[in-house]
Amino acid sequence: MASVQIADVRKAYGATQVIHGVDIDIDDGEFVILVGPSGCGKSTLLRMIAGLENISGGEIRIGPRVVNDVPPKERDIAMVFQNYALYPHMTVADNMAFSMKLRKAPKSEIDERVGKAAGILGLDKLLDRYPRQLSGGQRQRVAMGRAIVRDPQVFLFDEPLSNLDAKLRVQMRTEIKELHQRLKTTTVYVTHDQIEAMTMADKIVVMHDGIVEQMGAPLELYDRP
Ligand code: ADP
Ligand code: ADP
């Protein structure tokens, strides 16, 4: 777990500035949701936290460490994508184990972590299946399992429920929230869905055209008389 501090962060693509001096403080263990219309810069900001985009100005800290120049794999984050990004030729168990195998973790530790993540996510009976043999919701759980197995300081979610049908989306909201209550991992979650933001976030950051328009707890933002 770690805090994330975003201080006066800017992003330009060529001459076009798309993020204009954004400041967001995220506490240890907090679940923060970035919302706003398509094109407002949510995904760019998330990718800068992940290190997948360079920062044009300002500073991002994860814990005490300024990460502006730290490559993604040294940031101790795990990201869950909208399209799941599973390896199609690997089983569920191998998908979840892959990053630990790359790190040459001992097999006993890998088995233990994969087993634990599978238990948390209800994937125990699916470990030998391939992604194409899974439903959308199950694939999304595997993507989360892969993130959990890494035991990162920060989870980053980029519209993880957009590809699911309405019913499953409601169910997965609850599951992700329960997962957070259990692990308490600091989380930054991007969505354009206000209901997702209201039901899941500790703190909502409303973005518009590359700036933070509003920030606060769900009830502060949406339940004003
Ligand atoms: P959101 O996630 O809120 O939909 P994005 O962060 O994807 O918004 O995009 C913010 C702005 O940056 C948009 O105007 C988008 O067109 C622009 N943008 C995103 N990626 C690039 C890129 N690689 N090159 C140029 N412009 C980009
Ligand atoms: P390392 O051990 O070098 O930190 P890993 O072996 O965990 O890296 O993963 C290999 C690469 O894949 C790294 O660049 C890592 O950032 C990336 N990666 C793997 N899984 C994820 C994930 N869920 N989210 C973000 N990046 C990931």
Side-chain angles (χ1 to χ4, degrees):
M1 247 163 53
S3 61
V4 177
Q5 288 177 311
I6 297 166
D8 198 25
V9 163
R10 295 142 198 275
K11 177 69 184 177
Y13 290 106
T16 312
Q17 187 147 18
V18 299
I19 305 273
H20 310 269
V22 161
D23 295 282
I24 306 171
D25 278 341
I26 301 168
D27 291 334
D28 246 8
E30 201 171 21
F31 195 119
V32 169
I33 296 196
L34 309 180
V35 276
S38 179
C40 71
K42 308 180 291 293
S43 178
T44 301
L45 193 56
L46 197 74
R47 293 167 60 79
M48 289 195 286
I49 299 170
L52 302 171
E53 295 280 357
N54 293 325
I55 298 168
S56 309
E59 200 170 84
I60 296 183
R61 280 175 196 265
I62 298 179
R65 183 181 185 205
V66 176
V67 295
N68 289 32
D69 298 319
V70 174
K73 66 177 177 186
E74 288 168 26
R75 290 193 183 200
D76 204 5
I77 53 100
M79 192 149 168
V80 178
F81 298 93
Q82 179 178 0
N83 60 6
Y84 320 132
L86 302 179
Y87 303 109
H89 58 288
M90 286 186 204
T91 63
V92 167
D94 288 340
N95 263 284
M96 292 207 281
F98 185 65
S99 75
M100 292 191 75
K101 280 188 184 160
L102 282 187
R103 253 179 278 174
K104 312 227 185 305
K107 187 172 180 322
S108 57
E109 192 192 338
I110 296 178
D111 289 348
E112 193 202 317
R113 287 225 214 158
V114 169
K116 197 172 154 206
I120 291 173
L121 292 161
L123 293 168
D124 314 72
K125 298 203 169 76
L126 303 175
L127 287 171
D128 294 328
R129 293 222 197 154
Y130 288 87
R132 69 184 138 76
Q133 299 170 313
L134 302 175
S135 70
Q138 290 166 341
R139 283 179 204 178
Q140 188 51 271
R141 280 189 202 101
V142 178
M144 291 197 284
R146 224 168 37 172
I148 292 174
V149 161
R150 293 165 60 82
D151 191 22
Q153 289 194 308
V154 180
F155 283 135
L156 304 175
F157 287 89
D158 194 359
E159 306 234 8
L161 307 185
S162 304
N163 286 337
L164 303 178
D165 66 45
K167 191 171 160 220
L168 199 51
R169 219 156 40 223
V170 173
Q171 186 187 330
M172 293 300 293
R173 268 188 223 148
T174 310
E175 289 188 21
I176 292 175
K177 195 65 201 162
E178 283 170 1
L179 186 68
H180 179 254
Q181 272 153 6
R182 179 158 177 175
L183 301 178
K184 295 274 183 233
T185 306
T186 308
T187 300
V188 189
Y189 184 110
V190 163
T191 181
H192 57 261
D193 183 338
Q194 280 195 8
I195 298 178
E196 244 168 76
M198 275 161 50
T199 52
M200 296 170 75
D202 295 325
K203 182 158 84 195
I204 298 175
V205 177
V206 183
M207 292 184 66
H208 190 77
D209 281 350
I211 61 161
V212 171
E213 201 172 53
Q214 274 186 298
M215 184 156 38
L219 290 178
E220 285 168 14
L221 289 188
Y222 292 113
D223 241 0
R224 286 212 184 106

